[in-house]
Amino acid sequence: MTEVPSVAHGDGIRPLAAGDDVISRYSRWVRETPDAVAVEDGEHRFTYREIDGIADAVAERLRDRVTSGDIVAVCLDRSAALVAIAVALARLGAVYLPLGPAPGEDRLAGLLTDVRIRAVIGAPDTLPGSGSALGLPVPAVGANAVPHVLAELVPPNPGAASAPPGTLYAVLTSGSTGKPKAVAVGAASLANLVRWYHDLSDLGPGDRMALIMAAPFDPHLGDLWGGLAYGATLAVAPDSARYSTDALVDWFRTARVDVSVLATPMAEPLLGRAWPGGLRLRDLLIGGDRLRTWPGPDVTTRVHNVYGPAEATINVTSALLGEADRTSPPIGGPIPGVTLCVVDEDDRIVPRGTAGELLIGGVCLALGYVDEEMTARRFVQAPEGSGLERVYRTGDKVRMGDDGLLDFLGRLDDQVKISGVRIEPAEVEAALERHPEVRRAVVAVRRSRDGATGLVAFVEPAPGSAPDPDGLLQGTRSAVPAQAVPQEVHLVERFPLNENGKVDRAALLASVPSPGAERAEELRGETEELLAALWRDVLGTADVHARSNLYALGGNSMHAVALAGAIKRTFELELSMKSVMELRVLRDMAAAIDAERVALAASEVSRTATVTDW
């Protein structure tokens, strides 16, 4: 019997024609349906005419200061302001680089050193302060809006790298060196992606597309331009909908969302419960992590499991999920404009059914990194028999079935060596998930102070179950090598997520005691005493001290939402849920509250820039 090679081509490849780019498609709706709602943020609505007027005003303010090919870092969250600025930068031919509302001072400084950024846009306290600033006339209303938005023109570092010609947007992705990599994507690649969104869901005028993915995470660009390019309304989700399943369901109902993209850890709790009634949700796209949960028979929404790295423009595969017909949901086959091939260690295409590294090619490919040397390492000559010239090496281990669908098996670089044996955490996770009382498992690598390496497992129980951690450990002993048996198993109510919607393994490890952990310390001062009382009330525990860790006491993202609200009522100041989740330790949280109180009491330092109020 002839072996079939692990190569699959997406059907319906259509070259980008004049007027197919996202800004041209968006401009069509400005002309044809100017009074249709383009952005809805709670009670605030902005028509296509209004968004376009704001974008024109921003572009005019930046004109002659920001030109075609210039990289502009945008430090804002999902909002009408973010949408208008994205449109303005596309009009100018500038490169949109989303960093989110809190990029971090050190991270931004490092980025300015490595990447030739012309301007940074954001709230005054997020800007680097090294150049001149001007106010931008954007809305200051909405869940994530800031009172004033400035554009700071920064002096370029002569040694910094520029974006490749033709870049529409750039997005940061994590790097193995610990430094983020800036991926540059062109207009044709994004146009191909949003056209597929439209074909998949029939997204168009009158529909409502969720703008829910975190701004630094590239799927938000698919949401933003997927809606605007086809005349739909972008519905801005409140933060609570990103961290609470109940809040998400309520928002889906009230916002009357038709199409949404969700990160896998956000979607799995939704799929794991009785499907809620009263939803308009027509299509739900899930991606960003390995999906373990199949939709139940009561699910009335079309559920698509999607996959794609930033280097291949957000999504390259899709699987419409029905009844479970294999161990875990596949990540699917190629979308139009995409070719997939699976290769061995010598870059030879393997037969279907054989595991290997996934390579991606086609119109979906990014232009490269904002670093020519790194581009040359990861965007390489295609293997013989692929029908391609250039491919991206994903580093992902997959297997292509006889049906052409891919199963995701883990990361090749996730392997860790323990006592001389190479271990794949994904294999240990799969062993734990075979237990009927386990909904999902995450295995993290913990390194002790003396350099020893071990695995720690975190398990989310199946509904109504309370598995015994010792029993789970015992069960893995017959399924994996002795070196791969976790040192500990901890039960969690929900997995903490990072800003990109992926499981935060560092937060999980921080939530459990480690060798040499500090002993309990007494509370000091009024702030720590008041905060400890809030912790006891929200977490339902009396065992709270100055060094208590929110996650170690069983806290999760929903507790963080409640705690942020309690802090606002008690101290009359805002400490974001993200800050609550990142600070974790009671004493650190109290110090942040005290610092915020001092800042509020101090007089605001006037800036030299003129700020235009909306």
Side-chain angles (χ1 to χ4, degrees):
M1 184 175 178
T2 304
E3 292 181 330
V4 179
S6 293
V7 179
H9 304 279
D11 295 329
I13 298 176
R14 291 173 287 176
L16 185 66
D20 272 352
D21 60 284
V22 293
I23 193 68
S24 296
R25 284 188 173 275
Y26 154 78
S27 298
R28 169 194 166 191
W29 298 109
V30 174
R31 295 190 303 271
E32 295 185 3
T33 59
D35 296 322
V37 177
V39 180
E40 180 177 285
D41 188 347
E43 62 184 13
H44 306 287
R45 293 172 177 81
F46 300 86
T47 66
Y48 272 82
R49 178 190 284 115
E50 289 169 332
I51 288 293
D52 203 56
I54 300 164
D56 277 348
V58 170
E60 189 59 34
R61 187 66 61 90
L62 296 176
R63 201 176 305 279
D64 299 329
R65 298 176 174 92
V66 172
T67 58
S68 181
D70 284 343
I71 301 175
V72 178
V74 181
C75 304
L76 296 174
D77 209 344
R78 297 158 292 110
S79 59
L82 180 77
V83 173
I85 288 169
V87 172
L89 295 179
R91 283 250 170 88
L92 291 170
V95 178
Y96 170 79
L97 172 60
L99 300 182
E105 184 178 345
D106 292 342
R107 191 181 197 216
L108 183 57
L111 196 60
L112 290 170
T113 299
D114 297 335
V115 178
R116 195 176 182 85
I117 292 174
R118 179 67 185 101
V120 180
I121 294 176
D125 59 357
T126 64
L127 303 182
S130 58
S132 59
L134 60 151
L136 296 183
V138 296
V141 294
N144 302 308
V146 295
H148 303 299
V149 175
L150 304 179
E152 181 176 318
L153 305 174
V154 295
N157 177 10
S162 301
T167 302
L168 175 66
Y169 74 85
V171 65
L172 298 186
T173 185
S174 59
S176 58
T177 62
K179 295 178 66 175
K181 302 173 292 187
V183 182
V185 178
S189 300
L190 183 61
N192 184 73
L193 185 279
V194 300
R195 185 164 52 192
W196 169 74
Y197 269 8
H198 167 72
D199 293 346
L200 181 79
S201 64
D202 199 28
L203 186 68
D207 286 332
R208 305 166 72 78
M209 177 81 181
L211 191 61
I212 192 170
M213 301 301 286
F217 194 28
D218 62 324
H220 96 274
L221 283 147
D223 295 349
L224 190 155
W225 288 112
L228 294 183
Y230 288 94
T233 297
L234 298 176
V236 180
D239 265 353
S240 59
R242 299 185 65 241
Y243 293 98
S244 163
T245 305
D246 288 338
L248 175 65
V249 169
D250 289 343
W251 179 73
F252 274 158
R253 281 200 193 99
T254 57
R256 295 173 292 120
V257 171
D258 295 286
V259 180
S260 179
V261 178
L262 289 180
T264 308
M266 297 166 63
E268 285 195 317
L270 179 62
L271 294 179
R273 59 187 283 173
W275 193 250
L279 299 187
R280 251 177 57 162
L281 192 63
R282 186 169 68 239
D283 287 274
L284 175 63
L285 287 73
I286 303 172
D289 210 336
R290 187 157 57 101
L291 182 65
R292 277 86 162 180
T293 307
W294 291 85
D298 60 337
V299 175
T300 56
T301 296
R302 291 192 297 257
V303 178
H304 312 267
N305 191 26
V306 299
Y307 158 91
E311 290 86 348
T313 317
I314 308 172
N315 291 335
V316 294
T317 73
S318 176
L320 177 61
L321 302 183
E323 293 185 10
D325 58 2
R326 58 180 81 195
T327 304
S328 58
I331 58 175
I335 70 171
V338 173
T339 293
L340 309 172
C341 51
V342 185
V343 299
D344 61 17
E345 293 180 352
D346 297 319
D347 284 344
R348 294 174 301 196
I349 295 174
V350 300
R352 294 195 178 188
T354 303
E357 182 182 6
L358 176 63
L359 307 184
I360 302 172
V363 71
C364 62
L365 280 193
L367 300 172
Y369 298 106
V370 184
D371 181 324
E372 292 183 358
E373 183 179 341
M374 190 177 296
T375 299
R377 289 201 302 268
R378 299 304 296 270
F379 292 83
V380 298
Q381 183 177 348
E384 185 178 349
S386 66
L388 300 167
E389 294 183 2
R390 177 174 175 261
V391 292
Y392 168 67
R393 308 191 70 98
T394 66
D396 287 334
K397 185 177 180 181
V398 301
R399 180 175 50 243
M400 185 178 291
D402 292 338
D403 54 6
L405 301 183
L406 292 177
D407 289 312
F408 182 80
L409 305 178
R411 287 285 301 170
L412 293 173
D413 54 13
D414 274 348
Q415 292 183 342
V416 60
K417 187 173 283 188
I418 299 177
S419 300
V421 177
R422 288 196 175 276
I423 305 297
E424 293 196 36
E427 181 184 358
V428 185
E429 292 169 353
L432 288 164
E433 288 167 358
R434 284 195 285 271
H435 194 287
E437 292 187 298
V438 173
R439 167 186 272 176
R440 188 178 186 194
V442 170
V443 172
V445 179
R446 181 169 66 188
R447 291 178 172 83
S448 64
R449 293 176 182 174
D450 60 5
T453 300
L455 301 180
V456 181
F458 300 87
V459 166
E460 180 184 352
S465 300
D468 173 36
D470 290 336
L472 294 176
L473 268 181
Q474 188 62 34
T476 63
R477 297 185 193 281
S478 61
V480 299
Q483 296 85 352
V485 176
Q487 296 172 338
E488 306 161 13
V489 173
H490 298 274
L491 304 184
V492 297
E493 183 180 341
R494 291 186 69 179
F495 291 109
L497 310 180
N498 61 23
E499 64 179 7
N500 290 341
K502 296 189 177 185
V503 173
D504 190 338
R505 283 173 165 78
L508 285 171
L509 288 173
S511 72
V512 297
S514 58
E518 294 187 50
R519 296 182 179 180
E521 292 183 17
E522 292 184 0
L523 300 168
R524 296 198 304 258
E526 180 187 32
T527 302
E528 288 190 3
E529 292 284 355
L530 288 172
L531 185 59
L534 299 183
W535 278 43
R536 294 186 189 103
D537 183 54
V538 169
L539 298 172
T541 179
D543 186 19
V544 176
H545 56 82
R547 302 305 305 175
S548 289
N549 184 297
L550 181 66
Y551 294 112
L553 294 179
N556 54 41
S557 54
M558 290 183 288
H559 290 119
V561 172
L563 195 54
I567 288 170
K568 182 177 181 179
R569 291 189 297 271
T570 302
F571 296 100
E572 297 183 342
L573 55 81
E574 292 276 356
L575 191 65
S576 71
M577 182 196 61
K578 183 174 182 290
S579 296
V580 170
M581 295 177 71
E582 289 179 346
L583 289 165
R584 302 187 185 116
V585 176
L586 188 142
R587 176 153 289 162
D588 295 342
M589 201 175 293
I593 290 171
D594 284 338
E596 183 66 13
R597 294 168 91 177
V598 170
L600 289 173
S603 58
E604 183 178 355
V605 178
S606 61
R607 296 185 64 89
T608 57
T610 301
V611 178
T612 302
D613 292 326
W614 173 255

